């Protein structure tokens, strides 16, 4: 039976709709996403006791500006709303709610801090808003079973602390250790990892003094004097940049010469060691996962040259000796990869799904270190190398360590 013209027309329309349906179904948008834009938000300590970390946010904004000039991601600009929280948890909560409920961002990206991240942790998970690549190494950000919308980025503090503990057992098994840490979850994570690296028996035997500080404290002088008086010959120093510079100066000024472990969160040459004094910083031991812009071994490295050109054009006020600018650059590259993988499915569910599906080599990560995630692994970077401060730079030594 020959089909009538009107039947042929209906069949043709149906065929077109069937072909178009998958493409139409694939395009899914979270709040803040359109055909031309992806709005994301963060909080940063542009003021307050942790303002040294603001370089991370500025570098991220600069990278996304460069990317937008090049056409964005899959034809969409990325608009980053970066708000100051002064490293104050109540302000973080207020600013994060503004980003989610008034600015309608698709997700929160790389907000800085442990106490500031914890205060919005439950809120964002209850709202099903991705809290992606929090700039903190606390273990909170690696619990997909209970908090499936939150993910860290840098090596977690327990992993880093354990690296120092195992190293100390090798080089100084009879050490007398003084521990200094910020009185919050980040500080406790570092100490827990350090003790795990030493082992229970060694930790009980070796750690002879402990002191804490609050971010509102004016100085660390009394803590350093008390720790020196304990007779310790090792200092495990978990402090943020402002306090790390104070601790380095005070240790030197009182004539104490311990093996001084400085956590990676305070290892910036320009933000910490130069203000503390290079003469007072000699021999510090830390751990690294990024290429240090002060290390001359990278001067001919194409990745370093690309980073340098980026900084000079898009972040000219940024300090070229500040490793926090490298961190922001690498974090921005990571989130861009997530958005590329999302294609036109920019629902919050798929953004989180793609963040948990990364196997990525970033140019400014140290060789042998990658960004890797899975539905059961929310710790993207898990490996580091030890480094010793010599002259005006960190010198890497030993092999790549971690998980």
């Amino acid at each position: 039976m020959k089909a009538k013209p009107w039947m042929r027309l209906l069949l043709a329309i149906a065929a077109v709709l069937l072909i178009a349906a998958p493409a139409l179904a694939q395009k899914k948008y979270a709040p803040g996403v359109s055909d031309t834009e992806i709005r994301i938000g963060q909080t940063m300590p542009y003021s307050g006791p942790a303002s040294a970390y603001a370089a991370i946010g500025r570098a991220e904004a600069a990278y996304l500006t460069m990317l937008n000039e090049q056409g964005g991601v899959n034809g969409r600009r990325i608009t980053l709303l970066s708000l100051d929280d002064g490293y104050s948890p109540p302000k973080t909560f207020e600013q994060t709610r503004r980003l989610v409920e008034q600015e309608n961002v698709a997700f929160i990206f790389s907000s800085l801090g442990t106490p500031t991240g914890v205060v919005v942790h439950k809120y964002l998970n209850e709202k099903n808003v991705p809290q992606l690549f929090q700039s903190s190494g606390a273990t909170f950000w690696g619990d997909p079973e209970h908090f499936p919308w939150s993910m860290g980025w840098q090596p977690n503090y327990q992993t880093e602390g354990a690296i120092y503990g195992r190293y100390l057992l090798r080089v100084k098994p009879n050490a007398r250790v003084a521990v200094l840490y910020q009185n919050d979850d980040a500080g406790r994570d570092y100490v827990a990892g350090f003790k795990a690296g030493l082992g229970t028996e060694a930790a009980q035997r070796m750690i002879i003094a402990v002191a804490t500080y609050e971010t509102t404290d004016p100085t660390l002088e009394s803590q350093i004097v008390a720790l020196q008086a304990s007779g310790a010959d090792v200092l495990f120093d978990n402090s943020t940049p402002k306090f790390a510079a104070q601790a380095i100066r005070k240790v030197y000024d009182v004539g104490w010469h311990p093996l001084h472990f400085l956590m990676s969160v305070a290892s910036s040459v320009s933000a910490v060691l130069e203000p503390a004094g290079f003469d007072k910083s000699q021999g510090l031991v830390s751990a690294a996962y990024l290429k240090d812009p002060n290390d001359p071994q990278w001067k001919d490295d194409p990745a370093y040259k690309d980073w340098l050109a980026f900084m000079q054009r898009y972040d000219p006020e940024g300090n070229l000796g500040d490793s926090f600018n490298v961190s922001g650059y690498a974090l921005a590259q990571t989130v861009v990869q997530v958005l590329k993988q999302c294609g036109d499915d920019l629902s919050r569910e798929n953004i989180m799904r793609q963040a948990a599906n990364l196997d990525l080599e970033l140019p400014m990560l140290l060789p042998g270190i990658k960004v890797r995630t899975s539905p059961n692994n929310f710790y993207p970077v898990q490996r580091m190398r030890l480094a010793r401060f010599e002259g005006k730079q960190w010198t890497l030594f030993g092999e790549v360590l971690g998980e």
Side-chain angles (χ1 to χ4, degrees):
M1 178 178 176
K2 189 174 181 180
K4 295 181 178 180
W6 64 268
M7 291 181 63
R8 288 198 297 272
L9 178 62
L10 285 177
L11 289 170
I13 292 171
V16 169
L17 291 174
L18 284 171
I19 292 169
L24 292 171
Q26 187 182 12
K27 188 176 280 192
K28 298 177 182 177
Y29 288 165
V33 179
S34 69
D35 287 348
T36 59
E37 183 186 32
I38 303 169
R39 290 167 66 83
I40 65 179
Q42 67 176 200
T43 57
M44 277 281 155
Y46 291 109
S47 62
S51 58
Y53 292 126
I56 296 173
R58 286 191 285 266
E60 289 166 343
Y63 187 88
L64 296 178
T65 296
M66 178 184 73
L67 184 81
N68 289 335
E69 286 186 5
Q70 297 169 357
V73 176
N74 299 328
R76 298 179 181 88
R77 305 177 40 85
I78 302 177
T79 300
L80 173 63
L81 304 177
S82 187
L83 306 182
D84 184 20
D85 66 0
Y87 203 64
S88 168
K91 186 68 172 178
T92 306
F93 194 84
E94 173 191 329
Q95 297 285 49
T96 302
R97 283 195 62 180
R98 172 186 161 187
L99 288 167
V100 172
E101 298 174 21
Q102 297 177 34
E103 302 292 350
N104 293 314
V105 298
F107 58 92
I108 300 298
F109 162 62
S110 182
S111 290
L112 189 288
T114 298
T116 47
V118 170
V119 76
V120 295
H121 196 207
K122 184 178 179 182
Y123 165 77
L124 292 171
N125 277 266
E126 287 177 346
K127 288 260 183 196
N128 295 349
V129 177
Q131 184 182 21
L132 272 190
F133 310 138
Q134 182 75 15
S135 288
S136 155
T139 53
F140 288 109
W141 321 123
D143 185 7
E145 180 180 354
H146 300 104
F147 294 96
W149 297 92
S150 297
M151 181 182 289
W153 187 79
Q154 68 203 65
N156 77 72
Y157 298 146
Q158 290 192 17
T159 294
E160 183 178 349
I163 287 172
Y164 300 129
R166 289 192 290 268
Y167 171 72
L168 183 60
L169 278 180
R170 290 201 313 271
V171 301
K172 205 174 179 70
N174 297 314
R176 300 182 306 281
V177 182
V179 172
L180 172 68
Y181 70 94
Q182 187 166 295
N183 187 26
D184 62 12
D185 292 307
R188 286 184 282 273
D189 266 352
Y190 263 127
V191 174
F194 182 59
K195 289 180 176 179
L198 291 173
T200 302
E201 185 277 329
Q204 291 175 347
R205 170 175 53 84
M206 297 169 73
I207 297 174
I208 64 170
V210 176
T212 65
Y213 74 92
E214 306 291 337
T215 58
T216 52
D217 289 348
T219 73
L220 292 176
E221 291 193 3
S222 62
Q223 290 94 327
I224 296 299
V225 170
L227 293 174
Q228 180 197 24
S230 71
D233 55 10
V234 172
L235 175 60
F236 181 80
D237 177 2
N238 163 222
S239 48
T240 49
K242 168 187 169 183
F243 294 101
Q246 290 183 10
I248 293 165
R249 283 196 300 266
K250 190 63 178 178
V251 166
Y252 182 91
D253 290 346
V254 298
W256 189 18
H257 304 289
L259 170 56
H260 190 160
F261 289 103
L262 185 71
M263 306 303 101
S264 65
V265 296
S267 64
S268 170
V269 172
S270 66
V272 177
L273 305 184
E274 188 172 6
F278 288 143
D279 58 325
K280 298 176 174 66
S281 304
Q282 299 305 303
L284 292 168
V285 173
S286 189
Y289 55 96
L290 295 164
K291 294 174 180 175
D292 182 356
N294 302 281
D295 189 339
Q297 74 169 303
W298 308 120
K299 67 181 178 66
D300 295 321
D301 177 44
Y304 169 76
K305 289 181 176 180
D306 287 346
W307 173 83
L308 182 62
F310 152 76
M311 288 293 297
Q312 290 170 337
R313 179 171 178 183
Y314 292 97
D315 194 5
E317 301 299 317
N319 192 319
L320 297 178
D322 189 350
S323 58
F324 296 143
N325 286 312
V326 179
S327 180
Y329 180 81
L331 276 155
Q333 290 176 325
T334 307
V335 80
V336 166
Q337 178 62 30
V338 170
L339 296 175
K340 285 180 179 178
Q341 290 179 197
C342 285
D344 284 334
D345 184 353
L346 286 156
S347 62
R348 285 171 169 164
E349 291 78 9
N350 194 47
I351 290 167
M352 207 67 224
R353 189 179 304 119
Q354 297 308 321
N357 182 34
L358 294 173
D359 188 356
L360 181 62
E361 290 188 7
L362 294 178
M364 287 300 281
L365 286 175
L366 289 175
I369 299 177
K370 297 179 69 175
V371 172
R372 283 187 171 137
T373 59
S374 73
N376 298 314
N377 171 29
F378 275 26
Y379 294 127
V381 181
Q382 298 190 73
R383 309 190 79 193
M384 309 183 83
R385 284 187 68 187
L386 288 166
R388 184 177 292 106
F389 195 72
E390 300 173 343
K392 297 182 178 181
Q393 68 191 56
W394 290 103
T395 301
L396 296 167
F397 67 92
E399 60 188 12
V400 176
L401 304 169
E403 300 174 13

